[in-house]
């Protein structure tokens, strides 16, 4: 067995340098919800030094709310937003001698695209038009994964170590109690079950079936480094290889 561990980095919070020792993929903020040209370069350089796969982490234009506020933005505009953000990071990555491997939308854009086929199609089409060899990361079972495959992209189905789920497989909204898992032991246990059994228990106690190609660790979480360290050790102890995304 193998699994990808990814972290959202370059957001100006958390211990990116330490987390990079434990993950296999990095989603680098493109400046619209956090970060800037300097943080993009610094994060890309550090990730390359650790042999970590590089990905773009584009968002809605919403620095005031860290990209986590829902926005109604026309799919045509989101298409252009994606091209602008991927291109900005790609230029920096190439200057550092690296190559982008994947794209993973951030925050509200990611969550809305999981349930909105038109928005998901715009994102997937932008990724394909920018470079059809890029992988597209989306919520396991969601619209973004479906649209990625319709565009002929490699779709990576993502699950979360530190987020609770609803019965339909969507993430529990952050404003709900218990939506963010702060106990590292609980986060590791949830992840192991998702990776080994493809299952998670929703907040109302139901068993939800999900495919896990990649596990997300939120780099801005206070417990991100502890979870990353524990999870990497537990996975490897169980014979599960941690490596960059493999999806088709």
């Amino acid at each position: 067995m193998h699994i990808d561990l990814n972290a959202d980095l370059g957001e100006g919070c958390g211990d990116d340098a330490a987390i990079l020792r434990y993950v296999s993929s990095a989603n680098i903020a493109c400046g619209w919800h956090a970060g800037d040209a300097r943080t993009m370069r610094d994060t890309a350089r550090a990730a390359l030094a650790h042999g970590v796969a590089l990905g773009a982490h584009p968002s809605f234009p919403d620095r005031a709310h860290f990209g986590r506020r829902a926005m109604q933005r026309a799919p045509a505009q989101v298409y252009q937003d994606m091209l602008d953000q991927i291109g900005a990071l790609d230029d920096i990555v190439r200057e550092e001698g690296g190559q982008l491997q994947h794209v993973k939308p951030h925050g509200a854009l990611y969550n809305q695209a999981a349930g909105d086929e038109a928005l998901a199609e715009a994102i997937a089409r932008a990724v394909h038009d920018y470079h059809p060899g890029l992988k597209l990361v989306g919520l396991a079972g969601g619209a973004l994964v479906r649209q990625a495959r319709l565009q002929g992209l490699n779709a990576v189905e993502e699950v979360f170590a530190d987020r609770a789920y609803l019965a339909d497989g969507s993430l529990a909204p952050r404003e709900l109690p218990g939506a963010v898992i702060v106990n590292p032991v609980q986060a590791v246990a949830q992840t192991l079950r998702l990776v080994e059994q493809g299952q998670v228990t929703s907040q109302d106690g139901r068993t939800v079936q999900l495919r896990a190609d990649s596990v997300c660790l939120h780099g801005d979480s206070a417990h991100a480094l502890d979870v990353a360290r524990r999870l990497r050790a537990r996975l490897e102890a169980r014979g599960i290889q941690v490596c960059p995304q493999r999806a088709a």
Side-chain angles (χ1 to χ4, degrees), residues 96-171:
E96 293 299 320
Q99 182 176 350
L100 279 183
Q101 301 295 323
H102 66 276
V103 174
K104 175 193 166 181
H106 166 81
L109 178 59
Y110 178 98
N111 288 321
Q112 287 175 230
D116 184 327
E117 296 288 345
L119 186 60
E121 189 274 339
I123 294 170
R125 184 161 45 85
V127 173
H128 176 273
D129 290 353
Y130 188 86
H131 194 305
L134 289 170
K135 303 179 184 73
L136 181 54
V137 182
L139 185 68
L144 192 56
V145 168
R146 289 192 294 275
Q147 290 297 330
R149 292 189 175 124
L150 288 173
Q151 290 290 330
L153 296 168
N154 281 341
V156 177
E157 300 205 48
E158 182 180 47
V159 296
F160 287 77
D162 55 5
R163 293 294 306 278
Y165 283 83
L166 300 180
D168 64 357
S170 63
L171 298 178

Side-chain angles (χ1 to χ4, degrees), residues 26-236:
N27 318 307
I28 302 176
C30 298
W32 285 31
H33 74 280
D36 53 27
R38 180 175 179 177
T39 58
M40 283 190 273
R41 187 175 302 279
D42 289 347
T43 308
R45 186 175 295 166
L48 287 168
H50 283 84
V52 171
L54 302 179
H57 197 39
S59 71
F60 284 132
D62 181 29
R63 293 183 71 90
H65 299 89
F66 200 66
R68 287 178 174 159
R69 179 184 62 175
M71 297 182 71
Q72 300 306 313
R73 199 161 171 84
Q77 183 61 64
V78 170
Y79 172 90
Q80 188 60 51
D81 294 346
M82 295 291 294
L83 294 179
D84 292 346
Q85 292 179 78
I86 296 169
L89 179 62
D90 191 26
D91 287 346
I92 290 171
V93 168
R94 290 178 182 276
E95 289 171 6
E96 293 299 320
Q99 182 176 350
L100 279 183
Q101 301 295 323
H102 66 276
V103 174
K104 175 193 166 181
H106 166 81
L109 178 59
Y110 178 98
N111 288 321
Q112 287 175 230
D116 184 327
E117 296 288 345
L119 186 60
E121 189 274 339
I123 294 170
R125 184 161 45 85
V127 173
H128 176 273
D129 290 353
Y130 188 86
H131 194 305
L134 289 170
K135 303 179 184 73
L136 181 54
V137 182
L139 185 68
L144 192 56
V145 168
R146 289 192 294 275
Q147 290 297 330
R149 292 189 175 124
L150 288 173
Q151 290 290 330
L153 296 168
N154 281 341
V156 177
E157 300 205 48
E158 182 180 47
V159 296
F160 287 77
D162 55 5
R163 293 294 306 278
Y165 283 83
L166 300 180
D168 64 357
S170 63
L171 298 178
R174 283 179 174 268
E175 60 268 20
L176 293 181
V180 178
I181 299 171
V182 298
N183 184 329
V185 174
Q186 182 184 354
V188 170
Q190 173 168 292
T191 303
L192 290 174
R193 187 178 177 210
L194 278 162
V195 172
E196 295 182 325
Q197 302 176 37
Q199 296 180 345
V200 68
T201 300
S202 67
Q203 284 199 314
D204 64 358
R206 304 186 200 184
T207 298
V208 182
Q209 303 287 336
L210 295 172
R211 172 173 165 170
D213 296 322
S214 186
V215 177
C216 176
L217 306 169
H218 281 102
D220 65 309
S221 165
H223 304 284
L225 179 57
D226 190 19
V227 173
R229 185 188 298 112
R230 289 170 182 253
L231 188 53
R232 180 81 184 234
R234 289 289 302 279
L235 287 167
E236 292 182 342

